[in-house]
Short mmCIF file of all heavy atoms in Angstrom, two decimals:
data_model
loop_
_atom_site.label_atom_id
_atom_site.label_comp_id
_atom_site.label_asym_id
_atom_site.label_seq_id
_atom_site.Cartn_x
_atom_site.Cartn_y
_atom_site.Cartn_z
N ALA A 41 128.40 68.98 91.97
CA ALA A 41 127.53 68.13 92.78
C ALA A 41 126.41 68.96 93.36
O ALA A 41 126.53 70.18 93.49
CB ALA A 41 128.33 67.48 93.90
N SER A 42 125.32 68.31 93.72
CA SER A 42 124.22 69.07 94.31
C SER A 42 124.63 69.52 95.71
O SER A 42 125.31 68.80 96.44
CB SER A 42 122.95 68.22 94.28
OG SER A 42 122.49 67.97 95.55
N GLY A 43 124.32 70.77 96.03
CA GLY A 43 124.76 71.35 97.30
C GLY A 43 126.11 72.03 97.22
O GLY A 43 126.61 72.54 98.21
N SER A 44 126.70 72.05 96.02
CA SER A 44 128.03 72.65 95.89
C SER A 44 127.98 74.17 95.77
O SER A 44 129.02 74.83 95.81
CB SER A 44 128.76 72.06 94.69
OG SER A 44 128.02 72.30 93.51
N GLY A 45 126.77 74.73 95.64
CA GLY A 45 126.67 76.20 95.61
C GLY A 45 126.41 76.78 94.23
O GLY A 45 126.56 77.99 94.04
N LYS A 46 125.97 75.95 93.27
CA LYS A 46 125.72 76.46 91.92
C LYS A 46 124.58 77.47 91.91
O LYS A 46 124.71 78.56 91.32
CB LYS A 46 125.37 75.30 90.97
CG LYS A 46 126.40 74.20 90.93
CD LYS A 46 126.01 73.09 89.98
CE LYS A 46 124.74 72.35 90.36
NZ LYS A 46 124.81 71.61 91.65
N SER A 47 123.48 77.12 92.57
CA SER A 47 122.34 78.05 92.61
C SER A 47 122.75 79.32 93.34
O SER A 47 122.41 80.43 92.90
CB SER A 47 121.16 77.44 93.34
OG SER A 47 120.72 76.29 92.67
N THR A 48 123.45 79.17 94.43
CA THR A 48 123.89 80.34 95.20
C THR A 48 124.73 81.27 94.33
O THR A 48 124.54 82.49 94.34
CB THR A 48 124.68 79.89 96.44
OG1 THR A 48 123.88 78.98 97.19
CG2 THR A 48 125.05 81.06 97.31
N ARG A 51 122.47 83.04 91.89
CA ARG A 51 121.63 84.01 92.58
C ARG A 51 122.42 85.20 93.09
O ARG A 51 121.86 86.29 93.29
CB ARG A 51 120.88 83.33 93.73
CG ARG A 51 119.85 82.30 93.23
CD ARG A 51 119.52 81.27 94.28
NE ARG A 51 118.99 81.88 95.47
CZ ARG A 51 117.71 82.25 95.62
NH1 ARG A 51 116.87 82.02 94.63
NH2 ARG A 51 117.30 82.81 96.71
N GLN A 150 114.31 76.69 88.60
CA GLN A 150 114.00 75.27 88.53
C GLN A 150 112.50 75.02 88.71
O GLN A 150 111.91 74.20 88.01
CB GLN A 150 114.78 74.57 89.65
CG GLN A 150 114.68 73.07 89.63
CD GLN A 150 115.60 72.44 90.68
OE1 GLN A 150 116.50 73.09 91.20
NE2 GLN A 150 115.37 71.18 90.97
N ASP A 261 118.67 78.41 86.22
CA ASP A 261 119.02 77.56 87.35
C ASP A 261 118.34 76.20 87.20
O ASP A 261 117.17 76.03 87.56
CB ASP A 261 118.61 78.23 88.67
CG ASP A 261 119.16 77.48 89.88
OD1 ASP A 261 119.86 76.47 89.66
OD2 ASP A 261 118.89 77.90 91.01
N GLU A 262 119.07 75.24 86.69
CA GLU A 262 118.53 73.90 86.45
C GLU A 262 117.13 73.95 85.84
O GLU A 262 116.16 73.46 86.45
CB GLU A 262 118.51 73.10 87.76
CG GLU A 262 119.90 72.92 88.35
CD GLU A 262 119.94 71.81 89.39
OE1 GLU A 262 119.17 70.84 89.26
OE2 GLU A 262 120.76 71.91 90.31
N SER A 265 115.32 70.44 85.66
CA SER A 265 115.41 69.44 86.73
C SER A 265 114.08 69.06 87.35
O SER A 265 113.94 68.00 87.94
CB SER A 265 116.34 69.92 87.84
OG SER A 265 117.66 69.97 87.35
N VAL A 292 123.07 76.78 84.85
CA VAL A 292 123.36 75.74 85.83
C VAL A 292 122.58 74.51 85.40
O VAL A 292 121.36 74.60 85.20
CB VAL A 292 122.92 76.15 87.24
CG1 VAL A 292 123.08 74.99 88.22
CG2 VAL A 292 123.70 77.35 87.71
N HIS A 294 122.31 69.89 85.06
CA HIS A 294 122.81 68.52 85.18
C HIS A 294 122.72 67.79 83.84
O HIS A 294 123.02 66.61 83.76
CB HIS A 294 122.00 67.76 86.24
CG HIS A 294 122.35 68.16 87.64
ND1 HIS A 294 123.60 67.96 88.17
CD2 HIS A 294 121.64 68.77 88.62
CE1 HIS A 294 123.63 68.42 89.42
NE2 HIS A 294 122.45 68.93 89.71
MG1 LIG C 20 120.60 74.33 92.87
#
Side-chain angles (χ1 to χ4, degrees):
Chain A
S42 118
S44 59
K46 305 180 296 296
S47 298
T48 305
R51 293 158 59 82
Q150 186 174 344
D261 189 1
E262 298 197 32
S265 292
V292 173
H294 285 297

